[in-house]
Amino acid sequence: MRNNGRARGGQRSTRDSAPAVVSRETETAEIVRRVGVDRSHSDVLIITGEPGAGKSMLLDLAVDRARSSGRRVLRTVGSESETHLGFAGLYQMLRPVLGVMESLPSRQRSALRAVLGLDDCAETPDAALVGLAVLTSLSDLAETDPLLVVVDDAQWIDRGTLDVLSFVARRMDSEPITLLVGVRTAAALPGFDRGYERLEIGPLGIEAANRLLDQQPTPPTGRIRVRILEEAAGNPLALAELARVAAARQLEGSSIEGPLPLTDRLKRIFAEHAADLPEPTRRTLLLLAAAGATDAPAASMGLPEADDKVLVPAEQAGLVRQEGPRVVFRNPLIRSAVYHAASFEERRRAHLDLAELLREEPDRRAWHLAAATLRPDQEVSAALQQTAGRARRRGGYAAAAAALERAAELSPRGEDRARLLTEAADAAVFTGQLGWVERLAAEVRASTDDPALTGEASLASGQLMAMGKHHTAAFTLLLRVAGEAAAARSPRVLDALAAAAVVRYYSGEEFQQREIQGLLSHVPDDDARAALHAWVLAVSDPSGAGASLGPLLPGLIAEAKDDAKRLTMLAIVSWLLDRTPLAARTFDEAFDRWQAHGPLPDGLGCAAGWTYLEQGRWAEARSVAADIAAMASSAGLHHAEACARALDSTVLSLLGDTAAARRLTAQALALVDPLESRSVAVFARRALGMAAVAEGDYDTAYTQFRSAFTDDGDPVHYHVSYTVLAELAAAAVRRGRRGDATELLERSARRLGTGISARVAALIARGRALLADPELAEPYFQAALADATGEQWPFERAQTRLDYGEWLRRQRRIAEARPLLSAALATFQRLGARPWIERAQTELRAAGIEASSVVPDAFAELSPQQQEIVRLAARGLTNREIGEKLFLSPRTVGSHLYRVFPKLGITARSQLRDVLEGTLSGAGVQGQEGAVGGPPAQGGAHAADTAW
């Protein structure tokens, strides 16, 4: 396979490799261990260090070891000049193996070819689909030989490539793929900043530094050696280069005086090497320096007057080396030194030469023209605008925003400049970089008085700010934009109110609801924007909007058809109104269209996870949480990340992994200000309360649930607080706080009125049953189980059955208690809710059914992800189809099934349906047995089939 990027191959001499290997025994051993031929798992390692510390040489070592042991290697190298070229790093990595795309499913192949610029695309490829295409491609490449993927100078890799690599790294489970990423210590690395092992390449100690100097061609001695050791500060590259310069100057009879800062010193050393080269060599060397890794082949063609030997003097000077047909710099600092030592006019000519050589590469040509341009130039600005359009269609929002910003700088007309800056702000929203968006918006305001442009730029800032943690400032900005749009009769008013409604949900502030309603009442009805209007109503006041919106939802969803963004919006509305099955179906429909997984968590992105959790699809809930947490973390969106952590911690509490749940909850609460992010605060406290219940600590549980309401009994959050009412009642009874909980429950019921959802009505009825005197409890239990729609929330339904069964047993109505307790146990087993399984088994034993007679459910022993894979495989989906749905590689799906078969006691895929139907039969019994001691309950296996 050809090397790609700034690879360093087998022609390297022992002398060249010495700085990397000498005195790096620990680091070398770690690298060798990582690239061993172990096909059992994937591996990710981030190698950090200062420039010149030896990161690249260690990566070279990894490449050599991997190839010698039979591994396949892919490599990409970041370049400053390509940071703004969308997916340039991904193209560089995959260029040697583009043929692997031919075996991809058609949607994955089309998406990947589109972002690589190989095909035109009518719509922006979905980010998750692109990531899945790369994951599947790498998995296919690793089918015969383990795969090593090396990313060097990752601080300069374009954002689109980083996002794809982060997506792949999170899903490489069971793949024989090793990902090594080299990055400078101080550089931010979105998507890789947390959760991965790091190998820090620090400075060499004095003994190691001396050993390295001893291995140089002319080891320095005496005072010069002492100076080199002091000024290099343990940096291997500095030690080697200063030793080389000292030797050269000693031969000339010159002295080395005037210490400089390390980076400046090294750049000066390299620049001095280049200054003595012949003119054609210097010009060709500058051409290479001005080119990025991907443009290097064009630069290697050199200048018209250059011959094949033009770079030999540079190679002899130790600045470059030959790698097959390509010439590459020996170190990125050399490239930087050569480039910055040249005058602007020399650099300008180099970029113009590259633009001429790259006439068939319009995006790269545009950036080289821009680098050669100081004054406004309409032609170059237009070329950058075309580049931005192509980048945006491929989903490269960072590249699009950067191109639009530079196009604005080069635009001769002020009105065009303001428009382009506004478009740049809109694109930059999808990068999650609030500072960038705010700076662009400020430049728009400084460039024009056009209210349409200034309003759109401010809206972009507000939309991104809404996903941060400063909700008061975000709401103030969005309401100002909405007010100005309303005064101008602009349709932007609804967009601003939609974002403001998100802030209202996050913050829970009551006055914000009044402000939104005041402006919304002046917005005329528009059938084309009915879904957005419904969104504003439901998000800002779900209990008030439920009665009017509920009947309209199915029609609005039907009208949305293939519009995944609108489907997602309506799915969230359905979740807010407790139309859980409708929400789940609509989320599924939206996700199947591949456009719902955007580059950022959009709006109330965790609503999909809460929907799946409530419906008993806990594996999918955790998957949603993981995706949003990763995206939000890499984008610095603290509130969105906190939402995801709270969601995941809730599932973990229900599964009984309380230590992990508390750890995630602490992370969520640390990311936000609980006074500004009341929704996160209540979700997190609810998770902590459920963890306490799982451990039988009802004092802590009561304290956490009670914190969802003020001292006066008002909800801290207008939507989330009411979901803890039944749990609060259960903890209050065990803590002896029945009176306080009863008052709070009834106050909430009065506040909610008659338009409450079936779910909240069931929770209130369960709470009343638990708080009532024993002789008065049964009608409330029956009311809680009366509505068949309660089967939509299986865990909550099972809790009610368990409570009712316990009450019946204490009333010595054992025969009536047993079916309810058995049905509750079946649901808990299906969900894997271990603490509740144990409690139900205890109650059954007390009811005369020995725990040993309750056959453990092997399916419940599987991980949530394995359960979901089994469900899909039982429906007849292939590994590749399952991978597409769960964003896993086919190999990972197959690996899970391989491990699952022995646990389930089967040997063939055809047996999975029988296993699954046996597992879900408990749900069918649950529906039948729910009639004992109460109204009939429906759903059972049919409801479960609908859910999965």
Short mmCIF file of all heavy atoms in Angstrom, two decimals, residues 459 462-464 466-467 474-475 478-479 481-483 485 491-506 512 515-517 519-520 523 529-540 565 569 572-573 576 602-604 718:
data_model
loop_
_atom_site.label_atom_id
_atom_site.label_comp_id
_atom_site.label_asym_id
_atom_site.label_seq_id
_atom_site.Cartn_x
_atom_site.Cartn_y
_atom_site.Cartn_z
N LEU A 459 -29.59 35.85 15.39
CA LEU A 459 -30.33 34.61 15.60
C LEU A 459 -29.37 33.43 15.62
O LEU A 459 -29.51 32.52 16.44
CB LEU A 459 -31.38 34.42 14.50
CG LEU A 459 -32.17 33.11 14.53
CD1 LEU A 459 -32.92 32.96 15.85
CD2 LEU A 459 -33.13 33.04 13.36
N GLY A 462 -27.81 33.36 18.96
CA GLY A 462 -28.76 32.94 19.99
C GLY A 462 -29.06 31.46 19.93
O GLY A 462 -29.19 30.80 20.97
N GLN A 463 -29.18 30.92 18.72
CA GLN A 463 -29.47 29.48 18.59
C GLN A 463 -28.35 28.64 19.18
O GLN A 463 -28.61 27.63 19.84
CB GLN A 463 -29.68 29.14 17.11
CG GLN A 463 -30.99 29.65 16.54
CD GLN A 463 -31.10 29.45 15.04
OE1 GLN A 463 -30.11 29.53 14.33
NE2 GLN A 463 -32.30 29.20 14.56
N LEU A 464 -27.10 29.04 18.94
CA LEU A 464 -25.99 28.28 19.50
C LEU A 464 -25.84 28.54 20.99
O LEU A 464 -25.58 27.62 21.78
CB LEU A 464 -24.69 28.63 18.77
CG LEU A 464 -23.47 27.78 19.11
CD1 LEU A 464 -23.77 26.29 18.95
CD2 LEU A 464 -22.28 28.17 18.25
N ALA A 466 -28.16 29.03 23.00
CA ALA A 466 -29.22 28.29 23.69
C ALA A 466 -28.77 26.91 24.10
O ALA A 466 -29.31 26.32 25.04
CB ALA A 466 -30.45 28.18 22.78
N MET A 467 -27.78 26.34 23.40
CA MET A 467 -27.30 25.01 23.74
C MET A 467 -26.13 25.05 24.72
O MET A 467 -25.58 24.03 25.07
CB MET A 467 -26.90 24.26 22.47
CG MET A 467 -28.09 23.85 21.63
SD MET A 467 -27.64 22.83 20.20
CE MET A 467 -27.14 24.09 19.04
N ALA A 474 -28.92 34.06 26.64
CA ALA A 474 -29.44 33.53 25.38
C ALA A 474 -30.89 33.95 25.17
O ALA A 474 -31.28 34.36 24.06
CB ALA A 474 -29.32 32.01 25.36
N PHE A 475 -31.70 33.84 26.22
CA PHE A 475 -33.11 34.19 26.07
C PHE A 475 -33.27 35.68 25.76
O PHE A 475 -34.09 36.06 24.92
CB PHE A 475 -33.88 33.83 27.34
CG PHE A 475 -35.37 34.01 27.21
CD1 PHE A 475 -36.14 33.01 26.63
CD2 PHE A 475 -35.99 35.17 27.63
CE1 PHE A 475 -37.51 33.16 26.48
CE2 PHE A 475 -37.36 35.33 27.49
CZ PHE A 475 -38.12 34.32 26.91
N LEU A 478 -32.43 36.19 22.08
CA LEU A 478 -33.43 35.61 21.18
C LEU A 478 -34.74 36.39 21.22
O LEU A 478 -35.41 36.57 20.19
CB LEU A 478 -33.67 34.15 21.54
CG LEU A 478 -32.51 33.20 21.19
CD1 LEU A 478 -32.67 31.87 21.89
CD2 LEU A 478 -32.42 33.00 19.68
N LEU A 479 -35.12 36.84 22.39
CA LEU A 479 -36.37 37.60 22.48
C LEU A 479 -36.22 38.95 21.77
O LEU A 479 -37.17 39.44 21.15
CB LEU A 479 -36.77 37.80 23.94
CG LEU A 479 -38.28 37.95 24.13
CD1 LEU A 479 -38.99 36.63 23.83
CD2 LEU A 479 -38.62 38.42 25.54
N VAL A 481 -34.32 39.47 19.15
CA VAL A 481 -34.41 39.15 17.73
C VAL A 481 -35.86 38.91 17.33
O VAL A 481 -36.33 39.39 16.28
CB VAL A 481 -33.55 37.92 17.39
CG1 VAL A 481 -33.77 37.47 15.96
CG2 VAL A 481 -32.08 38.21 17.63
N ALA A 482 -36.60 38.18 18.17
CA ALA A 482 -38.01 37.90 17.87
C ALA A 482 -38.83 39.18 17.85
O ALA A 482 -39.69 39.37 16.97
CB ALA A 482 -38.58 36.93 18.90
N GLY A 483 -38.57 40.07 18.80
CA GLY A 483 -39.31 41.34 18.84
C GLY A 483 -39.05 42.19 17.62
O GLY A 483 -39.98 42.76 17.02
N ALA A 485 -38.06 41.09 14.71
CA ALA A 485 -38.65 40.40 13.55
C ALA A 485 -40.15 40.61 13.52
O ALA A 485 -40.75 40.79 12.45
CB ALA A 485 -38.32 38.92 13.61
N PRO A 491 -40.75 36.56 8.92
CA PRO A 491 -41.00 35.17 9.36
C PRO A 491 -39.95 34.67 10.35
O PRO A 491 -40.14 33.63 10.97
CB PRO A 491 -40.95 34.37 8.06
CG PRO A 491 -40.15 35.21 7.11
CD PRO A 491 -40.46 36.64 7.47
N ARG A 492 -38.87 35.45 10.53
CA ARG A 492 -37.83 35.04 11.46
C ARG A 492 -38.33 35.01 12.89
O ARG A 492 -37.73 34.39 13.76
CB ARG A 492 -36.64 35.98 11.35
CG ARG A 492 -35.38 35.47 12.04
CD ARG A 492 -34.21 36.43 11.91
NE ARG A 492 -33.92 36.71 10.53
CZ ARG A 492 -34.18 37.88 9.93
NH1 ARG A 492 -34.74 38.86 10.61
NH2 ARG A 492 -33.90 38.05 8.66
N VAL A 493 -39.44 35.66 13.16
CA VAL A 493 -39.96 35.71 14.52
C VAL A 493 -40.22 34.30 15.06
O VAL A 493 -39.93 33.99 16.23
CB VAL A 493 -41.23 36.58 14.61
CG1 VAL A 493 -42.35 36.02 13.74
CG2 VAL A 493 -41.72 36.68 16.05
N LEU A 494 -40.73 33.42 14.22
CA LEU A 494 -41.04 32.06 14.68
C LEU A 494 -39.77 31.26 14.92
O LEU A 494 -39.69 30.46 15.85
CB LEU A 494 -41.94 31.36 13.65
CG LEU A 494 -42.81 30.22 14.18
CD1 LEU A 494 -43.64 30.66 15.37
CD2 LEU A 494 -43.72 29.69 13.07
N ASP A 495 -38.76 31.49 14.09
CA ASP A 495 -37.47 30.81 14.31
C ASP A 495 -36.86 31.24 15.63
O ASP A 495 -36.32 30.42 16.38
CB ASP A 495 -36.51 31.12 13.16
CG ASP A 495 -37.01 30.60 11.83
OD1 ASP A 495 -37.26 29.39 11.73
OD2 ASP A 495 -37.15 31.40 10.90
N ALA A 496 -36.92 32.54 15.91
CA ALA A 496 -36.36 33.03 17.17
C ALA A 496 -37.14 32.51 18.36
O ALA A 496 -36.56 32.14 19.39
CB ALA A 496 -36.34 34.56 17.16
N LEU A 497 -38.47 32.47 18.24
CA LEU A 497 -39.28 31.95 19.34
C LEU A 497 -39.06 30.46 19.54
O LEU A 497 -39.14 29.96 20.68
CB LEU A 497 -40.77 32.24 19.07
CG LEU A 497 -41.20 33.70 19.20
CD1 LEU A 497 -42.67 33.85 18.85
CD2 LEU A 497 -40.93 34.23 20.60
N ALA A 498 -38.81 29.74 18.46
CA ALA A 498 -38.53 28.30 18.59
C ALA A 498 -37.27 28.08 19.41
O ALA A 498 -37.22 27.20 20.28
CB ALA A 498 -38.39 27.67 17.21
N ALA A 499 -36.23 28.86 19.14
CA ALA A 499 -35.00 28.74 19.93
C ALA A 499 -35.22 29.24 21.36
O ALA A 499 -34.70 28.67 22.32
CB ALA A 499 -33.88 29.54 19.27
N ALA A 500 -36.02 30.30 21.52
CA ALA A 500 -36.31 30.81 22.86
C ALA A 500 -37.09 29.79 23.67
O ALA A 500 -36.91 29.69 24.90
CB ALA A 500 -37.10 32.11 22.75
N ALA A 501 -37.95 29.02 23.02
CA ALA A 501 -38.72 27.98 23.72
C ALA A 501 -37.78 26.91 24.27
O ALA A 501 -38.02 26.36 25.36
CB ALA A 501 -39.76 27.37 22.79
N VAL A 502 -36.73 26.60 23.53
CA VAL A 502 -35.74 25.63 24.02
C VAL A 502 -35.09 26.17 25.30
O VAL A 502 -34.92 25.44 26.28
CB VAL A 502 -34.68 25.34 22.94
CG1 VAL A 502 -33.55 24.48 23.51
CG2 VAL A 502 -35.31 24.65 21.74
N VAL A 503 -34.72 27.43 25.27
CA VAL A 503 -34.13 28.04 26.46
C VAL A 503 -35.12 27.98 27.62
O VAL A 503 -34.75 27.69 28.76
CB VAL A 503 -33.71 29.50 26.19
CG1 VAL A 503 -33.13 30.14 27.45
CG2 VAL A 503 -32.68 29.55 25.07
N ARG A 504 -36.38 28.28 27.33
CA ARG A 504 -37.42 28.21 28.37
C ARG A 504 -37.50 26.81 28.97
O ARG A 504 -37.61 26.64 30.18
CB ARG A 504 -38.76 28.62 27.75
CG ARG A 504 -40.01 27.93 28.25
CD ARG A 504 -40.44 28.37 29.63
NE ARG A 504 -41.76 27.80 29.94
CZ ARG A 504 -42.26 27.70 31.14
NH1 ARG A 504 -41.59 28.11 32.19
NH2 ARG A 504 -43.47 27.18 31.32
N TYR A 505 -37.38 25.78 28.12
CA TYR A 505 -37.43 24.41 28.65
C TYR A 505 -36.21 24.14 29.52
O TYR A 505 -36.32 23.56 30.60
CB TYR A 505 -37.50 23.39 27.52
CG TYR A 505 -37.71 21.98 28.03
CD1 TYR A 505 -38.99 21.50 28.23
CD2 TYR A 505 -36.63 21.17 28.36
CE1 TYR A 505 -39.21 20.22 28.73
CE2 TYR A 505 -36.83 19.90 28.86
CZ TYR A 505 -38.12 19.43 29.05
OH TYR A 505 -38.31 18.18 29.57
N TYR A 506 -35.06 24.54 29.03
CA TYR A 506 -33.85 24.29 29.80
C TYR A 506 -33.87 25.01 31.15
O TYR A 506 -33.51 24.45 32.18
CB TYR A 506 -32.61 24.76 29.03
CG TYR A 506 -32.26 23.89 27.84
CD1 TYR A 506 -31.42 24.37 26.84
CD2 TYR A 506 -32.74 22.59 27.71
CE1 TYR A 506 -31.08 23.58 25.74
CE2 TYR A 506 -32.40 21.80 26.63
CZ TYR A 506 -31.57 22.30 25.65
OH TYR A 506 -31.22 21.53 24.58
N GLN A 512 -40.41 33.61 31.21
CA GLN A 512 -40.07 33.39 29.81
C GLN A 512 -41.27 32.87 29.03
O GLN A 512 -41.45 33.20 27.86
CB GLN A 512 -38.88 32.43 29.70
CG GLN A 512 -37.59 33.01 30.26
CD GLN A 512 -36.43 32.04 30.21
OE1 GLN A 512 -36.60 30.88 29.86
NE2 GLN A 512 -35.24 32.51 30.56
N GLU A 515 -43.41 35.82 28.11
CA GLU A 515 -42.81 36.60 27.02
C GLU A 515 -43.02 35.91 25.68
O GLU A 515 -43.34 36.55 24.67
CB GLU A 515 -41.30 36.76 27.29
CG GLU A 515 -40.96 37.51 28.57
CD GLU A 515 -40.99 39.02 28.38
OE1 GLU A 515 -41.35 39.46 27.29
OE2 GLU A 515 -40.65 39.74 29.33
N ILE A 516 -42.83 34.60 25.65
CA ILE A 516 -43.00 33.85 24.40
C ILE A 516 -44.45 33.92 23.94
O ILE A 516 -44.73 34.19 22.76
CB ILE A 516 -42.56 32.39 24.59
CG1 ILE A 516 -41.04 32.32 24.76
CG2 ILE A 516 -42.99 31.53 23.41
CD1 ILE A 516 -40.53 30.95 25.18
N GLN A 517 -45.38 33.68 24.85
CA GLN A 517 -46.79 33.71 24.48
C GLN A 517 -47.22 35.09 23.99
O GLN A 517 -48.02 35.21 23.07
CB GLN A 517 -47.65 33.30 25.68
CG GLN A 517 -47.57 31.81 26.02
CD GLN A 517 -48.13 30.95 24.90
OE1 GLN A 517 -48.94 31.37 24.10
NE2 GLN A 517 -47.67 29.70 24.86
N LEU A 519 -45.49 37.29 22.31
CA LEU A 519 -45.10 37.48 20.91
C LEU A 519 -45.78 36.48 19.99
O LEU A 519 -46.15 36.81 18.86
CB LEU A 519 -43.58 37.36 20.78
CG LEU A 519 -42.77 38.58 21.21
CD1 LEU A 519 -41.28 38.27 21.22
CD2 LEU A 519 -43.04 39.75 20.26
N LEU A 520 -45.95 35.23 20.46
CA LEU A 520 -46.54 34.20 19.62
C LEU A 520 -47.98 34.54 19.24
O LEU A 520 -48.44 34.19 18.15
CB LEU A 520 -46.49 32.85 20.34
CG LEU A 520 -46.87 31.62 19.52
CD1 LEU A 520 -45.91 31.43 18.34
CD2 LEU A 520 -46.86 30.38 20.40
N VAL A 523 -48.24 36.24 15.92
CA VAL A 523 -47.74 35.56 14.72
C VAL A 523 -48.92 34.99 13.95
O VAL A 523 -49.69 34.19 14.50
CB VAL A 523 -46.75 34.44 15.09
CG1 VAL A 523 -46.31 33.68 13.85
CG2 VAL A 523 -45.53 35.02 15.81
N ARG A 529 -45.75 26.47 8.26
CA ARG A 529 -44.90 26.47 9.46
C ARG A 529 -45.69 26.00 10.69
O ARG A 529 -45.35 26.35 11.83
CB ARG A 529 -44.33 27.86 9.70
CG ARG A 529 -43.69 28.49 8.47
CD ARG A 529 -42.73 29.60 8.85
NE ARG A 529 -41.40 29.08 9.16
CZ ARG A 529 -40.44 29.82 9.73
NH1 ARG A 529 -40.68 31.05 10.08
NH2 ARG A 529 -39.26 29.29 9.97
N ALA A 530 -46.70 25.19 10.44
CA ALA A 530 -47.53 24.71 11.54
C ALA A 530 -46.73 23.86 12.53
O ALA A 530 -46.95 23.92 13.74
CB ALA A 530 -48.71 23.92 10.99
N ALA A 531 -45.80 23.08 12.02
CA ALA A 531 -45.00 22.24 12.90
C ALA A 531 -44.14 23.08 13.83
O ALA A 531 -44.01 22.78 15.02
CB ALA A 531 -44.11 21.31 12.07
N LEU A 532 -43.58 24.17 13.32
CA LEU A 532 -42.75 25.04 14.15
C LEU A 532 -43.62 25.76 15.19
O LEU A 532 -43.20 25.95 16.34
CB LEU A 532 -42.02 26.05 13.28
CG LEU A 532 -40.85 26.81 13.92
CD1 LEU A 532 -39.80 25.82 14.43
CD2 LEU A 532 -40.23 27.79 12.93
N HIS A 533 -44.82 26.13 14.80
CA HIS A 533 -45.76 26.77 15.73
C HIS A 533 -46.11 25.79 16.85
O HIS A 533 -46.14 26.16 18.04
CB HIS A 533 -47.01 27.21 14.98
CG HIS A 533 -47.83 28.22 15.71
ND1 HIS A 533 -48.71 27.87 16.73
CD2 HIS A 533 -47.91 29.57 15.60
CE1 HIS A 533 -49.29 28.96 17.20
NE2 HIS A 533 -48.82 30.01 16.53
N ALA A 534 -46.36 24.53 16.48
CA ALA A 534 -46.67 23.51 17.49
C ALA A 534 -45.48 23.30 18.42
O ALA A 534 -45.65 23.10 19.64
CB ALA A 534 -47.04 22.20 16.80
N TRP A 535 -44.31 23.35 17.86
CA TRP A 535 -43.09 23.19 18.66
C TRP A 535 -43.02 24.25 19.75
O TRP A 535 -42.78 23.95 20.92
CB TRP A 535 -41.88 23.27 17.74
CG TRP A 535 -40.57 23.50 18.42
CD1 TRP A 535 -40.02 24.70 18.75
CD2 TRP A 535 -39.63 22.50 18.84
NE1 TRP A 535 -38.80 24.52 19.36
CE2 TRP A 535 -38.53 23.18 19.43
CE3 TRP A 535 -39.60 21.11 18.78
CZ2 TRP A 535 -37.44 22.52 19.95
CZ3 TRP A 535 -38.50 20.44 19.30
CH2 TRP A 535 -37.44 21.14 19.87
N VAL A 536 -43.21 25.51 19.36
CA VAL A 536 -43.11 26.60 20.33
C VAL A 536 -44.12 26.41 21.45
O VAL A 536 -43.81 26.57 22.63
CB VAL A 536 -43.31 27.97 19.63
CG1 VAL A 536 -43.30 29.10 20.66
CG2 VAL A 536 -42.22 28.19 18.59
N LEU A 537 -45.35 26.05 21.09
CA LEU A 537 -46.40 25.85 22.09
C LEU A 537 -46.05 24.71 23.04
O LEU A 537 -46.14 24.85 24.27
CB LEU A 537 -47.73 25.56 21.41
CG LEU A 537 -48.45 26.73 20.73
CD1 LEU A 537 -49.65 26.22 19.94
CD2 LEU A 537 -48.90 27.75 21.78
N ALA A 538 -45.67 23.58 22.48
CA ALA A 538 -45.45 22.38 23.31
C ALA A 538 -44.21 22.51 24.17
O ALA A 538 -44.21 22.11 25.34
CB ALA A 538 -45.34 21.15 22.42
N VAL A 539 -43.15 23.05 23.63
CA VAL A 539 -41.90 23.14 24.39
C VAL A 539 -42.04 24.14 25.53
O VAL A 539 -41.55 23.91 26.64
CB VAL A 539 -40.73 23.54 23.47
CG1 VAL A 539 -39.46 23.81 24.27
CG2 VAL A 539 -40.46 22.43 22.46
N SER A 540 -42.72 25.24 25.28
CA SER A 540 -42.82 26.27 26.32
C SER A 540 -43.90 25.98 27.35
O SER A 540 -43.81 26.41 28.49
CB SER A 540 -43.07 27.64 25.68
OG SER A 540 -44.28 27.63 24.93
N LYS A 565 -36.03 16.65 9.55
CA LYS A 565 -35.92 17.69 10.56
C LYS A 565 -37.28 17.99 11.17
O LYS A 565 -37.42 18.11 12.39
CB LYS A 565 -35.33 18.96 9.94
CG LYS A 565 -35.13 20.08 10.95
CD LYS A 565 -34.46 21.28 10.30
CE LYS A 565 -34.25 22.40 11.32
NZ LYS A 565 -33.60 23.59 10.72
N MET A 569 -38.72 17.23 15.02
CA MET A 569 -39.39 18.27 15.80
C MET A 569 -40.73 17.78 16.34
O MET A 569 -41.06 17.95 17.52
CB MET A 569 -39.57 19.51 14.91
CG MET A 569 -40.20 20.71 15.61
SD MET A 569 -40.50 22.03 14.41
CE MET A 569 -38.86 22.27 13.77
N ILE A 572 -40.41 15.21 19.12
CA ILE A 572 -40.15 15.83 20.42
C ILE A 572 -41.44 16.39 21.01
O ILE A 572 -41.70 16.25 22.21
CB ILE A 572 -39.09 16.93 20.26
CG1 ILE A 572 -37.75 16.30 19.88
CG2 ILE A 572 -38.95 17.75 21.54
CD1 ILE A 572 -36.67 17.31 19.52
N VAL A 573 -42.27 16.99 20.17
CA VAL A 573 -43.57 17.48 20.65
C VAL A 573 -44.39 16.32 21.19
O VAL A 573 -45.03 16.43 22.26
CB VAL A 573 -44.32 18.20 19.51
CG1 VAL A 573 -45.76 18.52 19.92
CG2 VAL A 573 -43.59 19.49 19.12
N LEU A 576 -43.14 15.37 24.61
CA LEU A 576 -43.53 16.34 25.63
C LEU A 576 -44.98 16.17 26.06
O LEU A 576 -45.34 16.41 27.22
CB LEU A 576 -43.32 17.76 25.10
CG LEU A 576 -41.86 18.23 24.98
CD1 LEU A 576 -41.77 19.47 24.12
CD2 LEU A 576 -41.28 18.50 26.37
N ASP A 602 -29.44 18.93 18.25
CA ASP A 602 -30.33 20.01 17.84
C ASP A 602 -31.51 20.09 18.80
O ASP A 602 -32.21 19.12 19.03
CB ASP A 602 -30.83 19.74 16.41
CG ASP A 602 -31.65 20.90 15.88
OD1 ASP A 602 -31.54 21.99 16.44
OD2 ASP A 602 -32.39 20.70 14.91
N GLY A 603 -31.75 21.30 19.32
CA GLY A 603 -32.91 21.49 20.18
C GLY A 603 -32.88 20.58 21.38
O GLY A 603 -31.88 20.45 22.07
N LEU A 604 -33.99 19.91 21.63
CA LEU A 604 -34.09 18.98 22.76
C LEU A 604 -33.68 17.59 22.28
O LEU A 604 -34.48 16.66 22.24
CB LEU A 604 -35.51 18.98 23.31
CG LEU A 604 -36.03 20.35 23.78
CD1 LEU A 604 -37.46 20.23 24.26
CD2 LEU A 604 -35.16 20.92 24.87
N TYR A 718 -41.38 22.98 35.11
CA TYR A 718 -42.80 22.83 34.78
C TYR A 718 -43.14 21.51 34.09
O TYR A 718 -44.31 21.14 34.01
CB TYR A 718 -43.26 24.00 33.89
CG TYR A 718 -42.53 24.10 32.56
CD1 TYR A 718 -43.02 23.51 31.41
CD2 TYR A 718 -41.33 24.81 32.46
CE1 TYR A 718 -42.36 23.61 30.19
CE2 TYR A 718 -40.66 24.92 31.26
CZ TYR A 718 -41.17 24.32 30.13
OH TYR A 718 -40.50 24.43 28.92
#
